[in-house]
Short mmCIF file of all heavy atoms in Angstrom, two decimals:
data_model
loop_
_atom_site.label_atom_id
_atom_site.label_comp_id
_atom_site.label_asym_id
_atom_site.label_seq_id
_atom_site.Cartn_x
_atom_site.Cartn_y
_atom_site.Cartn_z
N HIS A 382 13.71 -6.21 11.37
CA HIS A 382 12.91 -5.28 10.56
C HIS A 382 11.41 -5.51 10.74
O HIS A 382 10.63 -5.44 9.78
CB HIS A 382 13.28 -5.40 9.09
CG HIS A 382 14.72 -5.11 8.80
ND1 HIS A 382 15.30 -3.89 9.04
CD2 HIS A 382 15.70 -5.92 8.30
CE1 HIS A 382 16.57 -3.94 8.68
NE2 HIS A 382 16.85 -5.14 8.24
N GLY A 383 11.00 -5.83 11.96
CA GLY A 383 9.59 -6.00 12.24
C GLY A 383 9.02 -7.35 11.87
O GLY A 383 7.81 -7.57 12.03
N MET A 384 9.82 -8.27 11.41
CA MET A 384 9.37 -9.61 11.07
C MET A 384 10.31 -10.62 11.70
O MET A 384 11.36 -10.26 12.24
CB MET A 384 9.32 -9.80 9.54
CG MET A 384 10.70 -9.79 8.89
SD MET A 384 10.66 -9.90 7.08
CE MET A 384 10.38 -8.18 6.67
N SER A 385 9.93 -11.90 11.69
CA SER A 385 10.83 -12.91 12.23
C SER A 385 12.09 -12.99 11.38
O SER A 385 12.04 -12.84 10.16
CB SER A 385 10.14 -14.27 12.30
OG SER A 385 9.93 -14.78 11.00
N ALA A 386 13.22 -13.22 12.06
CA ALA A 386 14.48 -13.31 11.33
C ALA A 386 14.47 -14.47 10.35
O ALA A 386 15.06 -14.39 9.27
CB ALA A 386 15.64 -13.47 12.32
N LEU A 387 13.76 -15.55 10.70
CA LEU A 387 13.68 -16.69 9.78
C LEU A 387 12.96 -16.30 8.50
O LEU A 387 13.41 -16.66 7.39
CB LEU A 387 12.95 -17.85 10.47
CG LEU A 387 12.81 -19.14 9.65
CD1 LEU A 387 14.18 -19.70 9.30
CD2 LEU A 387 11.98 -20.17 10.41
N ALA A 388 11.85 -15.55 8.61
CA ALA A 388 11.13 -15.12 7.42
C ALA A 388 11.97 -14.16 6.59
O ALA A 388 11.95 -14.21 5.35
CB ALA A 388 9.81 -14.47 7.82
N TYR A 389 12.71 -13.29 7.25
CA TYR A 389 13.55 -12.33 6.53
C TYR A 389 14.64 -13.04 5.74
O TYR A 389 14.82 -12.79 4.54
CB TYR A 389 14.17 -11.34 7.52
CG TYR A 389 15.18 -10.41 6.88
CD1 TYR A 389 14.77 -9.28 6.19
CD2 TYR A 389 16.54 -10.67 6.97
CE1 TYR A 389 15.69 -8.43 5.60
CE2 TYR A 389 17.47 -9.83 6.39
CZ TYR A 389 17.05 -8.71 5.71
OH TYR A 389 17.96 -7.88 5.12
N TYR A 390 15.37 -13.94 6.38
CA TYR A 390 16.47 -14.63 5.69
C TYR A 390 15.94 -15.61 4.64
O TYR A 390 16.59 -15.85 3.63
CB TYR A 390 17.35 -15.34 6.70
CG TYR A 390 18.16 -14.40 7.55
CD1 TYR A 390 17.99 -14.33 8.92
CD2 TYR A 390 19.08 -13.53 6.97
CE1 TYR A 390 18.71 -13.45 9.70
CE2 TYR A 390 19.81 -12.63 7.74
CZ TYR A 390 19.63 -12.60 9.11
OH TYR A 390 20.34 -11.72 9.86
N ARG A 391 14.76 -16.15 4.88
CA ARG A 391 14.17 -17.02 3.86
C ARG A 391 13.80 -16.21 2.63
O ARG A 391 14.01 -16.66 1.49
CB ARG A 391 12.93 -17.72 4.44
CG ARG A 391 12.27 -18.71 3.47
CD ARG A 391 11.11 -19.40 4.15
NE ARG A 391 10.10 -18.45 4.59
CZ ARG A 391 9.03 -18.80 5.30
NH1 ARG A 391 8.86 -20.07 5.65
NH2 ARG A 391 8.15 -17.89 5.67
N ALA A 392 13.26 -15.01 2.84
CA ALA A 392 12.95 -14.15 1.70
C ALA A 392 14.22 -13.71 0.97
O ALA A 392 14.25 -13.66 -0.27
CB ALA A 392 12.17 -12.92 2.17
N ALA A 393 15.27 -13.42 1.73
CA ALA A 393 16.54 -13.03 1.10
C ALA A 393 17.11 -14.18 0.28
O ALA A 393 17.62 -13.98 -0.84
CB ALA A 393 17.54 -12.59 2.17
N LEU A 394 17.02 -15.41 0.81
CA LEU A 394 17.52 -16.57 0.06
C LEU A 394 16.69 -16.81 -1.19
O LEU A 394 17.24 -17.10 -2.27
CB LEU A 394 17.50 -17.80 0.96
CG LEU A 394 17.95 -19.12 0.32
CD1 LEU A 394 19.39 -19.02 -0.18
CD2 LEU A 394 17.79 -20.28 1.30
N ALA A 395 15.36 -16.69 -1.07
CA ALA A 395 14.50 -16.88 -2.24
C ALA A 395 14.79 -15.84 -3.30
O ALA A 395 14.80 -16.15 -4.50
CB ALA A 395 13.02 -16.82 -1.82
N TRP A 396 15.06 -14.59 -2.88
CA TRP A 396 15.37 -13.55 -3.85
C TRP A 396 16.70 -13.84 -4.54
O TRP A 396 16.84 -13.64 -5.75
CB TRP A 396 15.42 -12.20 -3.15
CG TRP A 396 15.76 -11.08 -4.07
CD1 TRP A 396 14.90 -10.40 -4.88
CD2 TRP A 396 17.05 -10.53 -4.31
NE1 TRP A 396 15.57 -9.45 -5.61
CE2 TRP A 396 16.91 -9.51 -5.28
CE3 TRP A 396 18.32 -10.79 -3.80
CZ2 TRP A 396 17.97 -8.76 -5.73
CZ3 TRP A 396 19.39 -10.05 -4.26
CH2 TRP A 396 19.21 -9.05 -5.21
#
Side-chain angles (χ1 to χ4, degrees):
H382 301 297
M384 67 184 83
S385 69
L387 181 61
Y389 173 81
Y390 290 117
R391 183 177 59 185
L394 178 60
W396 179 84

